[in-house]
Amino acid sequence: MDRKLTVGQNTVYNTIGSCFYLACQWLITVLVIRLGSVEYGGILTLAMSVTNVLFTLGTFGIRSYQVSDYEKKYTTGEYVTTRLFLCACSLVICIGYSFLFSGQTTYVAACISAYMLFRLGEALSDENQAIQQVGGRMDYVFWSFVMRGILLVGSFAATLVLTKDLLTTFAVMAAATGAVVLLYELPKSRKLDPFSWKFNIQRTWKLITENIPLMTNSFLMAFCITIPRTALDNLWGHYEMGIYGSIAAPAAIVQSAVLWLYMPSLTQFAEYYHERQDEAFHRLNRKMILLITGAAAVILIGAAVLGKWGLNLLFGAEVAARSDLLIPTLGTTVLIAAEYYVSALLTVVRNLKAILISNVAAVAVTIAISNLLIRPYGAMGVNYVIYISMAVTLVIQGIALGKNFREHFGKGKEDAGV
């Protein structure tokens, strides 16, 4: 078996690789406008928003549960076959929604469906990464991110230049990046853990039902973003959506980069919690909070100094003229990243009910206030909606997490006679 890397080494590999890949994802939002049009940028942003919701069905929140499965309740094969089943379901739902219920033209519906194929490649990659994280070899994750990132940008740019067609571009992009998942990631995962492909519907259903709160969390979180963005597209049109999407794309790097900063530590959190190592758990928690806060501060300061210049360089004067949106939009992604981190800790302590309650509350607030704030304020209204909904979520989750810590670690001290 391959030698495991340290938590620090895995964190470095994972963070650098994920940041590179996220930068490549962001770059296609630049290229779609530079090589296509602002309207194409609006369609890309719409496809991202719609598939973000359905992507949560393909991943089902299983990653955090799997890497913190300290007692090995489920086998790797059961995680893999469950993920494949969920990806197939999400693709069928996406195609049905896009063509029958979205209200979009046939061409836009086809673009959304093709982009969903790309997202499902990412969902399967996420499963491979979970196996590699448990196996302590996130250097494999790094190389996958690098290869997929290069192919993502290269296939997107080349196809859009040659065909001038966004649908064909999405299809080629999905095939190119999916090849890395099948030809590189899967063999590495099988080397670390020669899992069985046997599908057991009873075990799959049991795993799914246990993870419903986590999937619902991911689904509702995506919904909290999709609802105001869809309202923006409906009320203000593809052009305004394209402007907002261009600014939100680099901001989303903050959100995802923060996620990958703490993801390698979840296995360690699970061990400390299971063994009731109070001091070690809270020490690691403080380190993660400092790391996340520091990364967010650096990016916000950089945006304040270079934001307008960067937007003009990358997107041109049309987008740069709306640079006032950049820092507020970055603020929303910092709040979303904080919610993901607190949710991950609640997953470690297996308080999935609190995650569900907090996100139901957030969606209820989002639905209630979206049109009220977006109709008069446009793109800035999207940010206002997210600020309020994430504040509601974080308050509820913070209270629940504090209660879990007091009860669990307090009991451990009582048992030890402290």
Side-chain angles (χ1 to χ4, degrees), residues 28 44 47-48 51 111-119 170 173:
I28 70 169
L44 173 60
M48 288 177 169
T51 58
C111 285
I112 293 171
S113 300
Y115 193 81
M116 186 64 191
L117 289 173
F118 164 70
R119 297 306 309 275
F170 285 166
M173 179 180 76

Side-chain angles (χ1 to χ4, degrees), residues 234-403:
N234 291 336
L235 294 171
W236 291 73
H238 287 329
Y239 184 86
E240 186 73 3
M241 183 70 152
I243 294 292
Y244 180 79
S246 299
I247 293 172
I253 294 177
V254 179
Q255 174 187 326
S256 298
V258 168
L259 185 152
W260 293 112
L261 280 174
Y262 70 75
M263 183 61 74
S265 68
L266 294 186
T267 304
Q268 193 71 62
F269 271 123
E271 179 182 343
Y272 290 153
Y273 189 78
H274 183 82
E275 300 294 336
R276 283 196 165 89
Q277 297 182 41
D278 186 353
E279 292 184 9
F281 188 100
H282 289 297
R283 183 167 57 250
L284 182 58
N285 186 30
R286 286 192 295 271
K287 286 181 180 178
M288 289 299 108
I289 291 173
L290 285 173
L291 186 62
I292 292 168
T293 303
V298 168
I299 293 172
L300 287 170
I301 292 170
V305 175
L306 300 172
K308 185 171 185 178
W309 171 83
L311 290 174
N312 186 62
L313 176 67
L314 294 168
F315 297 105
E318 285 181 281
V319 175
R322 304 293 298 280
S323 61
D324 59 302
L325 288 170
L326 181 57
I327 291 180
T329 305
L330 281 169
T332 67
T333 61
V334 170
L335 285 176
I336 294 167
E339 192 279 342
Y340 279 145
Y341 177 65
V342 178
S343 292
L345 292 183
L346 284 168
T347 302
V348 169
V349 306
R350 294 299 188 255
N351 188 350
L352 307 186
K353 182 179 179 181
I355 298 174
L356 179 60
I357 292 172
S358 66
N359 284 286
V360 167
V363 168
V365 169
T366 300
I367 293 172
I369 66 176
S370 284
N371 282 355
L372 292 175
L373 292 175
I374 293 168
R375 191 180 299 277
Y377 297 111
M380 190 64 78
V382 175
N383 293 330
Y384 296 154
V385 171
I386 297 173
Y387 286 151
I388 296 169
S389 63
M390 287 304 100
V392 169
T393 305
L394 284 168
V395 168
I396 295 172
Q397 291 187 357
I399 293 171
L401 190 60
K403 184 174 183 291

Side-chain angles (χ1 to χ4, degrees), residues 22 38-39 42 59 75 119 124 140-141 185 226 249 320 336 341 344 408 415:
L22 290 167
V38 172
E39 285 72 20
T59 57
T75 67
R119 297 306 309 275
L124 295 176
Y140 296 155
V141 174
E185 289 186 15
T226 300
I336 294 167
Y341 177 65
H408 182 78
D415 293 343

Side-chain angles (χ1 to χ4, degrees), residues 2 18 29 49 66 99 120 153 166 203 322 373 404 413:
D2 290 3
S18 62
T29 67
S49 298
Q66 182 176 352
F99 284 94
L120 291 181
V153 174
L166 200 58
R203 293 288 289 173
R322 304 293 298 280
L373 292 175
N404 270 110
K413 290 178 180 179

Side-chain angles (χ1 to χ4, degrees), residues 120-201:
L120 291 181
E122 292 188 323
L124 295 176
S125 177
D126 184 67
E127 175 56 38
N128 282 319
Q129 290 176 10
I131 297 170
Q132 291 157 14
Q133 179 177 342
V134 172
R137 291 303 303 266
M138 298 194 82
D139 51 331
Y140 296 155
V141 174
F142 167 80
W143 287 113
S144 172
F145 274 136
V146 170
M147 287 186 282
R148 285 194 292 129
I150 292 171
L151 286 172
L152 171 63
V153 174
S155 63
F156 185 91
T159 308
L160 191 56
V161 167
L162 291 173
T163 67
K164 302 297 181 183
D165 180 66
L166 200 58
L167 175 57
T168 305
T169 299
F170 285 166
V172 173
M173 179 180 76
T177 55
V180 178
V181 177
L182 294 175
L183 301 179
Y184 174 76
E185 289 186 15
L186 183 58
K188 292 296 185 184
S189 296
R190 296 275 291 167
K191 182 181 178 183
L192 289 170
D193 188 338
F195 55 83
S196 169
W197 291 99
K198 185 178 179 181
F199 179 69
N200 184 317
I201 186 61

